[in-house]
């Protein structure tokens, strides 16, 4: 079994991006991101509707880091501290050397390669710093943009699971993509 330790928190840098710890100062952006029906349409979770909801979401992110249960970064463009997205590792299985990656970005930043660039940095962290063997992504089968981003980063489709999650009065299909450490290219 591997040891997971996110302390001290490590910022990640790419050519254009700085991935930093989400802070209490990001509440307006968390509200904008998680409260936007467009960004949330493929995520079976309730919209963040109030500043209190945003604060609770921030506390959940921060608590998981403190307990070494999960890690999220604020996606920012270098030179501008504004959070434009969130990316991180979830559902960590230390016994299996496996975890899940998740990400979201404000719609006005779609199509610029930002998520693809952020995923590369977070995969490198997952394989090198966390010593993961495989990293999965669970997406809605209708989320074609997310599917393309994963394929660009070397993920392969593992499964399409029919109606396996019940949320908001309906059953949702999920598709699982994954990448093995040996197939990751920096």
């Amino acid at each position: 079994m591997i040891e997971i330790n996110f302390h001290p928190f490590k910022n990640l840098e790419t050519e254009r991006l700085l991935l930093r710890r989400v802070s209490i100062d990001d509440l307006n952006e968390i509200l904008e991101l998680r409260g936007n029906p467009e960004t949330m349409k493929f995520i079976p979770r309730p919209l963040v509707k109030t500043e209190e909801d945003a604060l609770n979401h921030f506390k959940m992110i921060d608590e998981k880091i403190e307990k070494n249960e999960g890690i999220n970064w604020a996606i920012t463009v270098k030179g501008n501290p504004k959070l434009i997205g969130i990316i991180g590792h979830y559902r960590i299985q230390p016994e299996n050397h496996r975890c899940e990656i998740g990400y979201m970005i404000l719609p006005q930043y779609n199509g610029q390669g930002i998520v693809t660039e952020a995923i590369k940095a977070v995969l490198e962290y997952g394989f090198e710093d966390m010593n993961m063997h495989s990293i999965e992504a669970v997406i809605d089968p209708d989320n074609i943009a997310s599917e393309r981003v994963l394929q660009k980063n070397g993920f392969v489709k593992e499964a399409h699971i029919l109606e396996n999650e019940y949320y908001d009065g309906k059953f949702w299909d999920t598709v699982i993509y994954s990448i093995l450490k040996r197939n990751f290219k920096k």
Side-chain angles (χ1 to χ4, degrees):
M1 185 174 331
I2 56 175
E3 286 289 319
I4 302 295
N5 185 359
F6 301 128
H7 308 285
F9 186 91
K10 183 177 179 180
N11 290 338
L12 307 177
E13 276 191 60
T14 69
E15 185 179 327
R16 299 181 293 166
L17 306 174
L18 172 66
L19 306 183
R20 61 158 174 84
R21 191 161 183 172
V22 178
S23 81
I24 194 89
D25 297 331
D26 296 320
L27 291 186
N28 288 335
E29 288 78 16
I30 291 170
L31 183 58
E32 184 181 357
L33 186 67
R34 303 274 314 184
N36 184 329
E38 181 63 23
T39 59
M40 294 295 290
K41 77 177 167 189
F42 297 119
I43 301 172
R45 301 287 178 270
L47 290 177
V48 168
K49 294 181 179 175
T50 66
E51 198 168 292
E52 184 180 349
D53 291 345
L55 177 62
N56 288 335
H57 190 74
F58 162 74
K59 286 178 180 176
M60 182 267 304
I61 289 171
D62 210 51
E63 186 177 292
K64 287 192 181 296
I65 293 168
E66 289 305 315
K67 292 181 175 180
N68 295 309
E69 293 174 352
I71 186 168
N72 275 283
W73 289 268
I75 301 172
T76 68
V77 176
K78 283 183 179 175
N80 184 348
K82 178 182 160 61
L83 179 153
I84 62 169
I86 296 176
I87 188 168
H89 291 291
Y90 312 87
R91 297 184 190 161
I92 298 168
Q93 303 170 35
E95 68 281 7
N96 295 320
H97 297 240
R98 185 172 173 105
C99 66
E100 179 182 334
I101 190 173
Y103 44 84
M104 59 190 324
I105 193 164
L106 290 168
Q108 60 266 36
Y109 295 95
N110 285 339
Q112 299 176 32
I114 290 171
V115 173
T116 299
E117 194 172 319
I119 286 174
K120 280 184 184 18
V122 172
L123 286 177
E124 184 173 353
Y125 180 88
F127 290 130
E128 303 300 326
D129 294 70
M130 294 171 64
N131 199 28
M132 290 291 131
H133 174 72
S134 63
I135 297 175
E136 69 181 27
V138 180
I139 65 169
D140 185 293
D142 294 329
N143 193 342
I144 304 305
S146 189
E147 182 178 51
R148 285 189 188 126
V149 163
L150 292 170
Q151 290 169 342
K152 282 182 195 173
N153 277 287
F155 282 76
V156 295
K157 188 174 182 177
E158 280 190 355
H160 184 139
I161 306 168
L162 301 174
E163 299 182 3
N164 72 312
E165 187 169 351
Y166 186 77
Y167 175 74
D168 201 25
K170 78 171 202 168
F171 288 96
W172 294 58
D173 286 10
T174 55
V175 174
I176 300 172
Y177 275 82
S178 72
I179 184 169
L180 298 174
K181 183 174 186 173
R182 69 175 172 259
N183 295 330
F184 173 65
K185 292 172 180 55
K186 293 181 187 180

